[in-house]
Amino acid sequence: MAEQELVTIEINGIELQVPKGEMIIESAKRIGVDIPFFCYHPRLGKEQAANCRMCLVEAGTKQPDGSVRMMPKPQTSCTLPASQGLVVFTDTVAIQKARRGILEFLLINHPLDCPICDRGGECPLQNNTLFYGPGVSRFVEEKRHLPKAFPISDYVVLDRERCIHCARCTRFSQEISGDAQLEFLKRGADTMVSTFQNTEFTSRFSGNTIELCPVGALTSRVYRFRARPWDMKSQKSICTRCSNGCNIWLDYRPNRLVRVLGRENEAVNEEWTCDRGKFGHEYISSDRRLLSPLVRRDNRFVTASWVEVYQLIASRIRQAVEERGAGAVGAIGGAHLSNEEAYLLQKLMRVAVGTNNIDHRLERNQVAGGDTLLARLGVPFTQTAIADIEKAKTIFIFGADLVDEQPIVFLRARKAWFRFGAKVIIAHPEPTETELRFDEPLVLRYRAGTETTLINGLSHLILQSGRAVTDGISLEELQASLSEYTPARVAQETGVAEDALREAANLLGEGTVILCAGRVRNHPEYAVLANALVNLTLLTGNGSRGNGGLNILLPEVNSHGAADMGVLPDLLPGYVPVNDREARERIERIWKASLPAEPGLSTQGMLEAAAEGKLQVLYVIGEDIAQKYHDPELAQRALENAGFVIVQDLFLTDTAQYADVVLPAASVAEKEGTFTNTERRVQRFWKAMNPPSPDVKPDLNIFAELAVYLGKPLPVFSAEQVMEEIGQVFPAYAECCYDQMPAEGVRWMPTLTDRGK
Amino acid sequence: MSEAIRLSEYPRAKRIDERQPPELRFSERAVQELERIKRHYPNKRAAMLPALWIAQREYGGHLPPEALMEVAYRLGTSYAVVEGVATFYTMYNKRPVGRVMLEVCTNLTCSICGGYEILRHLEEKLGIRAGETTPDGQFTLVEVECLNDCGNAPVMQVGNRYFGRLTPEKVDALLEELKNSEEHTVVQLADTIVQCHLSESERQDIERALAKAQAGSGGQDGQNG
């Protein structure tokens, strides 16, 4: 960090040093002086709006003779930058009077319906009125009347009478999410927040405006009237809806989740949540949760005890191993499990069953654990930290509708452009919503299927320009392989104009962040494309993990963790190849067990084997493969033809309909553990509620107990203990011990030498 | 006055897909004008006010939602932002208005000098109340605040002209004149304001470009977004 210039200021007679230019409202926090506000929000905008006038202070400057020259009028402290010799008073008689006046004005039109308002109890207007407002209003006339609460989307309810026109929601939608769907209509006393022509508020970040609203004007349709803030408990958790690992609060009443709020983590989600995360956790308190183990008898499910199902499963697995060998047992799942559970799952399969048939991937790319990237860049999937995206010089969004696929990564990318002026290139075969959120980005509209040609064409141009960085690549080989990708040919094949290609190549350089998602992961020739992307990354000088880098963002909450934990047929925890004897023996010593040396079947391989009736036992954990596998038909055939199907899930999913045994698992709110997000950040989540029934168990317990029944107990008593063991097996996780883990989590840094150690 | 809201009706409609451009109705001239006005500003969005005036002219004197959508599309901004700007300023008409708008001042000076008599006279004569439009769509009568021409009170603004020192007789004569005149219409006011944003050379440029487009076949498709 560069040294910041400090200035000496004085607040209420207390002298303090603060960075030059810091807003006084922030400086006051340093010495615990409370300045009330409504519209101020440190993350909104380049400049504050200063339109609520609540944070007024009296200010002046020290003169050389020691006297203080006061400014004639009170100043808004949210726009008053600290400068040398500034003197501020926050609690003078004039300021107290001003605050009373502002609040009296705000309350002229604000209805006093606090007893039935969702914000009541956590409302800044209520709080500020209590502490700073007048006890009585002189306004006895009829208040302004506007439409009362009406829904503007599936999630948000708008009450125009309650609005105090702080502009937080409109600023959020214009500056942060960029969709600008909320705006003030009319002026003066008629001002009101609205969407265009009262149409639906379809922002993917609409939930944040609810949290930002300092009154009850924007409320959640889901949470509405379900609880009062004071009869909820909160627990820290991690959002499970995508691989970004946003930090959230789970607010719950006894055993019922009522809402999700964003939790601050500078490194991941700042404080935002997307709507999927904010409103997508209702399933936890669903009535349709599985409440006890089920066993299929006479073609229908009957409830059974855990002892029964464990015995049944153990006998079927033993039978399969005896008859056909351990290779006749396979497990699919892990991307939705915590690290500890994923680790224990693969240990169960490898040690207790003795097979490497284990995989967590449901997408078409089933190349071993990000092979190309790991070998050439030293990272499994992503080079850039989420927080570093905002430092990028150029952002190259390649084949991804980022708003849809990785909403919070999109917010960072947009911040990089909006706040820090990064250039944006978007390559996608179709018009995407993401394009609309930037002003005139460079759009490369290539034909689907020509991804590799496009990337090679860009690499070719960079090589030609002489700007190429050639560390760590064999230049001649690359030149030879790229020589055929001339701009003219690439333009013809991809359908992207030659000028656009050249412009894009000029923008690519050091500090370029490449963001890819599903389209790249599911590309039919993933390995070739990944190689081309790595070439481009290296040529632009982003191989060494500066601010730039290549990022293939992952689909599920713990896709990265499952890969780290070795829920892969060919890699043990820590990306250790199973056929690397020395490395395997190191893990064998820790586990005190011998491990199978032959790589197992990938998901595709297992499903194909099962479809042909070669797989005796198929164990599916937390994945609805009948629906979500990239080839659902194959998955369904596999489930039909597998000898014995065990499904472990929260619900009776489509996959569970094929099962012989269904095991009820606990949701993320009912257990503890860690998730590893797409940037390799290991973050903890805590147990909030009890499972809906005593027969619902965390996956960790199920794996541990199953191991006992299989005769190879894996002694564990808690997730914390498992994490300690993971730290021994995979040293990169050594820092992730629960008692040492910092609040923002641990982003583990891979080194190539980890491999095979 | 707030509009009554029936909860079951909200949200009123699914949001229009922004990726699809709205229906574009700007004439070739309007496109050319907007193109030049945009160059006066550091970014496209800053041209919002003149662009709305162009739209008000092109859409026949008022700004229906489609006009706001077209402006938003041409300036690369969101529909809501344009609606916010358009509803902020009173001279953009959000509802359909008559061909000619009669804006009668009833502020202090004018009301002392008989502004209200003029207004009442017009109401009687046209058979409408202030704020309404005659059934034949000829006139819209509006009561406005100070027009900044107190020296000639009572004053009425009609399109791009002020008429001062009004008497009921003068007003009658003026109405007859306006009925048959193409001058002082709402559309013409919008055009006057648009032309104020363009320099002489730009106007000539536009004429040349239009002549050229007419000579050529078809010309541009009008999408310069």
Side-chain angles (χ1 to χ4, degrees), chain A residues 145 147 149-151 179-181 183-187 195-200 202 431 436-437 439-440, chain B residues 2 5 7 10-15 18-19 44-45 65 68-69 78-81 83-84 87-89:
Chain A
H145 287 297
F150 62 94
D179 45 55
Q181 289 184 22
E183 181 54 290
F184 282 129
L185 299 190
K186 307 204 178 169
R187 62 155 94 175
T195 53
F196 177 69
Q197 298 288 311
N198 282 327
T199 49
E200 193 179 3
T202 53
L436 302 170
R437 304 290 169 254
D439 266 0
E440 298 179 12
Chain B
S2 65
I5 282 205
L7 287 190
Y10 278 80
R12 249 184 209 157
K14 285 277 168 194
R15 199 151 180 280
E18 282 173 275
R19 279 168 290 183
K44 290 195 290 185
R45 268 168 228 195
L68 303 178
M69 285 160 74
S78 91
Y79 301 155
V81 168
E83 195 185 20
T87 53
F88 185 88
Y89 295 101

Side-chain angles (χ1 to χ4, degrees), chain A residues 545-607:
Chain A
R545 299 179 208 143
N547 286 338
L550 175 61
N551 303 281
I552 297 181
L553 303 167
L554 294 169
E556 303 296 350
V557 55
N558 207 23
S559 293
H560 207 304
D564 293 351
M565 293 305 119
V567 187
L568 290 165
D570 48 357
L571 297 176
L572 291 165
Y575 301 94
V576 172
V578 288
N579 42 21
D580 177 342
R581 215 191 70 184
E582 202 180 312
R584 190 180 68 240
E585 276 170 0
R586 187 183 71 88
I587 294 178
E588 282 177 341
R589 276 197 297 281
I590 299 172
W591 286 354
K592 299 185 183 71
S594 64
L595 297 174
E598 282 301 304
L601 299 170
S602 65
T603 311
Q604 182 76 12
M606 274 186 267
L607 292 178

Side-chain angles (χ1 to χ4, degrees), chain B residues 2 7-8 18 39 47 75 86 90 92 95 103 117 127 131 138 167 180 193 207 216:
Chain B
S2 65
L7 287 190
S8 56
E18 282 173 275
R39 290 183 207 148
L75 300 184
T90 51
Y92 296 121
R95 300 213 180 120
E103 295 170 272
E117 277 91 86
Q138 277 284 346
T167 59
N180 307 316
I193 294 173
E207 294 306 330

Side-chain angles (χ1 to χ4, degrees), chain B:
Chain B
M1 299 304 104
S2 65
E3 299 148 53
I5 282 205
R6 198 169 295 144
L7 287 190
S8 56
E9 284 176 9
Y10 278 80
R12 249 184 209 157
K14 285 277 168 194
R15 199 151 180 280
I16 312 107
D17 186 359
E18 282 173 275
R19 279 168 290 183
Q20 303 301 324
E23 194 195 339
L24 300 177
R25 279 170 47 185
F26 273 20
S27 65
E28 184 56 38
R29 176 181 294 277
V31 172
Q32 292 278 353
E33 283 166 352
L34 183 59
E35 195 49 42
R36 279 169 183 75
I37 289 172
K38 273 195 234 169
R39 290 183 207 148
H40 301 184
Y41 299 95
N43 60 51
K44 290 195 290 185
R45 268 168 228 195
M48 182 110 52
L49 295 183
L52 283 168
W53 277 115
I54 296 177
Q56 181 145 314
R57 186 189 72 197
E58 296 292 312
Y59 282 75
H62 80 292
L63 294 169
E66 295 76 38
L68 303 178
M69 285 160 74
E70 175 157 2
V71 169
Y73 175 75
R74 290 185 185 277
L75 300 184
T77 182
S78 91
Y79 301 155
V81 168
V82 178
E83 195 185 20
V85 173
T87 53
F88 185 88
Y89 295 101
T90 51
M91 281 172 80
Y92 296 121
N93 304 319
K94 272 70 67 179
R95 300 213 180 120
V97 291
R99 194 177 66 90
V100 176
M101 188 129 87
L102 309 171
E103 295 170 272
V104 184
C105 174
T106 55
N107 212 299
L108 184 66
T109 320
C110 284
S111 62
I112 291 172
C113 298
Y116 275 107
E117 277 91 86
I118 299 296
L119 187 66
R120 297 286 165 263
H121 179 75
L122 275 167
E123 283 184 341
E124 220 165 275
K125 179 100 184 164
L126 297 172
I128 52 172
R129 304 274 300 274
E132 293 176 348
T133 306
T134 52
D136 61 356
Q138 277 284 346
F139 295 106
T140 298
L141 182 60
V142 194
E143 178 183 355
V144 295
E145 298 304 327
C146 185
L147 291 171
N148 204 11
D149 192 17
C150 305
N152 289 321
V155 178
M156 171 166 79
Q157 182 182 356
V158 183
N160 49 9
R161 254 203 75 179
Y162 277 15
F163 295 92
R165 298 178 196 268
L166 291 172
T167 59
E169 294 76 41
K170 271 196 194 172
V171 169
D172 288 346
L174 184 59
L175 278 186
E176 283 310 311
E177 193 191 315
L178 288 172
K179 256 181 209 163
N180 307 316
S181 159
E182 286 303 308
E183 297 285 294
H184 319 313
T185 62
V186 177
V187 172
Q188 204 196 27
L189 170 66
D191 186 56
T192 310
I193 294 173
V194 173
Q195 299 312 322
C196 291
H197 280 88
L198 293 162
S199 71
E200 188 54 44
S201 63
E202 280 172 328
R203 281 197 286 264
Q204 286 164 5
D205 253 15
I206 292 170
E207 294 306 330
R208 273 198 294 277
L210 287 176
K212 204 168 145 195
Q214 199 132 51
S217 59
Q220 289 174 320
D221 62 357
Q223 295 197 15
N224 52 6

